[in-house]
Amino acid sequence: MRVTRACYSASLNGAIPQAKLKYVPTSGTYPQGFSASGVFVGVKPGNTSKPDLAIVTSDRPCAAAAVFTKNKFQAAPVTFSRRVLRERANTGLRSVVVNSGCANAVTGAGGLEDAANMARTTDQRVGSEDSTIVMSTGVIGQRLPIQKIVDHIPVAYHQAGNTHKHWMNCAKAICTTDTFPKLMSRTFSLPSSPGIEYRIAGMTKGAGMIAPNMATLLTILATDAPISPGIMPRVLKHAVDRSFNAITIDGDASTNDTVALLANGAAGGTEVSSEQSADYAAFQDLLTGFSADLAKYIVRDGEGATKFVTIRVVDSATEEGAREVARSIARSPLVKTALYGKDANWGRILCAAGYALITPPGQPENHVPEIVPERTNVSFVPADGSPELRLLVNGEPEQVDEERASEILEMEDLEIVVRLGTGDRSTVHWTCDFSHDYVTINGDYRT
């Protein structure tokens, strides 16, 4: 058997690790009417060359929607952008401006004014008021070097374009501890307009502080399909719940999480406006799959990670119960360290599943039998298509073939399947392992 190894440690010189180059596109097909750029500002004092200011802008008004963090300490850009979308009723948006290196979180009234200043400066270039949402990522609790940023926004706007290089520079500019830029583009069609080629592009950043409580990261999605403002929030939430809301790196939910979707309709065709239409179903499926593929890049770039792990929970009484079990396994430090150590310690998987649905104090007991030990099965499924390795069958431990388990755990990709045997619902979640490098990366992140 051929075994794949990969190093997911952050590079000291900023070079993309060899194992990750395959995830970086060398070309793309980008939506009409949108332009992107990434320029260097030097937001974080230690950054002397990496682009850290990004703009995505449309040459015409867009329908827009966003999903934000549920963290109680929400960053100024989150508060500002939510208000813009609410006041504009998800219509008339033109731009997204993003800085990396400083989160502008827990910065009080001054932080809100800084976010508004970034938007206002972008609006002046676009020529449309209240048409920009803002994102920031980086260190919490520090004010932005706002004058440096607003001085460079005109530069970023002037340099924006629609080539692959422009979009790639933009994707690089939103990164923090990411070891590779996460950019995708795709073409698609809709049933009502089979002769029109629509395009969607997306970029995301994230490698740590990732837990599903919305989407712990920054993501910009742009399409030239004509999507009604009225359906944008619902179609985006459906996609996020099954993609960015289904990943875990370390169990920490950030203060700045934002996933934004802009649709400018530049390609023409019939506007997608009814949830009962075939166009809606097609676009929802497209957006969900596209978002899931982007979200997987974040897991593959988990800080210090060496494994990409799919957790599939099936035969559950409810979908939410399946989700909670999968999340519990994905968050468990003991499961994640065992995977890093290539130890087939299935007891840790079972333990994490067992405490996932404990009823909180003061809450009524859930009488739906989500987990019945005597019906529970746990297996490793190798990425090479060979037979699964059964670890627990109907609550009874199997005699584990340690040599076979070691072979499977050497692989870069691994699937854990938990069959609960209590129903017909299922879910999938993506996570990674914990290595020594995770502690190294986060031990001196602020400095």
Side-chain angles (χ1 to χ4, degrees):
M1 172 186 290
R2 183 177 179 179
V3 173
T4 303
R5 293 179 180 270
C7 177
Y8 276 65
S9 303
S11 170
L12 295 177
N13 61 9
I16 298 173
Q18 188 66 34
K20 296 183 184 179
L21 286 174
K22 60 188 175 185
Y23 305 123
V24 181
T26 57
S27 63
T29 306
Y30 299 100
Q32 299 178 51
F34 284 99
S35 298
S37 73
V39 301
F40 168 74
V41 174
V43 174
K44 192 172 182 179
N47 176 26
T48 59
S49 61
K50 185 189 86 66
D52 53 1
L53 177 66
I55 285 181
V56 174
T57 187
S58 171
D59 64 4
R60 66 201 71 193
C62 302
V67 183
F68 300 100
T69 179
K70 293 181 180 179
N71 193 303
K72 297 299 182 182
F73 291 95
Q74 298 189 351
V78 170
T79 301
F80 175 84
S81 298
R82 180 185 281 112
R83 184 172 66 234
V84 169
L85 288 166
R86 182 177 63 248
E87 292 177 353
R88 294 300 300 261
N90 298 102
T91 189
L93 275 291
R94 292 283 298 274
S95 307
V96 182
V97 61
V98 189
N99 76 271
S100 60
C102 178
N104 191 12
V106 198
T107 47
L112 280 170
E113 178 52 35
D114 289 344
N117 199 352
M118 289 175 65
R120 187 166 54 246
T121 304
T122 307
D123 286 342
Q124 290 169 355
R125 294 290 142 177
V126 174
S128 179
E129 293 185 3
D130 301 322
S131 66
T132 299
I133 61 175
V134 181
M135 301 180 188
S136 298
T137 181
V139 178
I140 295 171
Q142 296 180 4
R143 288 287 297 275
L144 292 170
I146 190 61
Q147 195 57 51
K148 290 172 67 175
I149 291 174
V150 297
D151 285 348
H152 282 81
I153 286 176
V155 178
Y157 182 80
H158 177 72
Q159 293 185 7
N162 197 32
T163 70
H164 177 68
K165 183 177 180 181
H166 288 103
W167 282 88
M168 182 58 72
N169 285 340
C170 190
K172 290 177 180 177
I174 69 174
C175 292
T176 51
T177 59
D178 307 64
T179 65
F180 68 95
K182 301 165 182 65
L183 174 67
M184 286 177 49
S185 62
R186 195 165 290 173
T187 61
F188 64 99
S189 62
L190 294 174
S192 68
S193 307
I196 298 177
E197 179 187 83
Y198 293 111
R199 302 175 180 184
I200 186 170
M203 66 185 72
T204 190
K205 64 82 51 184
M209 233 182 180
I210 305 292
N213 197 2
M214 182 307 280
T216 313
L217 38 85
L218 300 184
T219 302
I220 304 170
L221 305 164
T223 181
D224 54 17
I227 312 298
S228 165
I231 68 170
M232 290 281 279
R234 290 188 291 278
V235 75
L236 180 61
K237 185 179 186 304
H238 181 277
V240 166
D241 282 345
R242 292 156 180 79
S243 56
F244 301 109
N245 228 1
I247 60 175
T248 298
I249 300 297
D250 48 21
D252 272 337
S254 178
T255 54
N256 291 58
D257 316 341
T258 306
V259 176
L261 170 65
L262 281 73
N264 67 5
T270 304
E271 183 179 68
V272 183
S273 58
S274 171
E275 292 186 51
Q276 281 69 51
S277 69
D279 282 354
Y280 182 92
F283 183 71
Q284 180 174 265
D285 288 347
L286 176 280
L287 183 65
T288 300
F290 186 81
S291 298
D293 288 343
L294 265 179
K296 291 174 188 177
Y297 279 168
I298 292 173
V299 176
R300 291 195 180 278
D301 201 20
E303 290 172 344
T306 67
K307 297 189 186 308
F308 177 87
V309 184
T310 299
I311 299 173
R312 196 175 303 276
V313 178
V314 302
D315 302 337
S316 173
T318 66
E319 186 174 346
E320 184 53 38
R323 283 194 189 126
E324 287 302 314
V325 170
R327 288 172 179 170
S328 184
I329 296 168
R331 283 194 302 258
S332 169
L334 292 179
V335 171
K336 294 159 81 68
T337 50
L339 292 171
Y340 173 68
K342 305 176 183 63
D343 180 7
N345 194 340
W346 57 266
R348 293 181 175 182
I349 299 170
L350 202 66
C351 181
Y355 62 65
L357 298 169
I358 294 175
T359 304
Q363 298 292 321
E365 286 288 339
N366 181 5
H367 295 294
V368 177
E370 299 276 6
I371 296 179
V372 176
E374 294 78 15
R375 301 181 190 173
T376 304
N377 295 257
V378 178
S379 297
F380 285 158
V381 178
D384 61 3
S386 57
E388 66 183 87
L389 178 64
R390 296 185 177 186
L391 307 170
L392 185 78
V393 176
N394 294 326
E396 294 290 335
E398 292 288 284
Q399 184 65 42
V400 177
D401 182 340
E402 295 292 347
E403 183 177 349
R404 175 64 177 147
S406 180
E407 290 177 346
I408 294 173
L409 290 169
E410 284 282 353
M411 298 178 187
E412 180 180 349
D413 285 32
L414 167 70
E415 182 171 325
I416 297 171
V417 176
V418 178
R419 298 179 177 88
L420 296 180
T422 55
D424 60 0
R425 304 295 178 175
S426 63
T427 196
V428 65
H429 202 95
W430 299 284
T431 191
C432 59
D433 57 347
F434 263 165
S435 73
H436 305 286
D437 285 339
Y438 178 85
V439 177
T440 301
I441 293 166
N442 284 282
D444 61 358
Y445 175 72
R446 192 172 68 88
T447 53

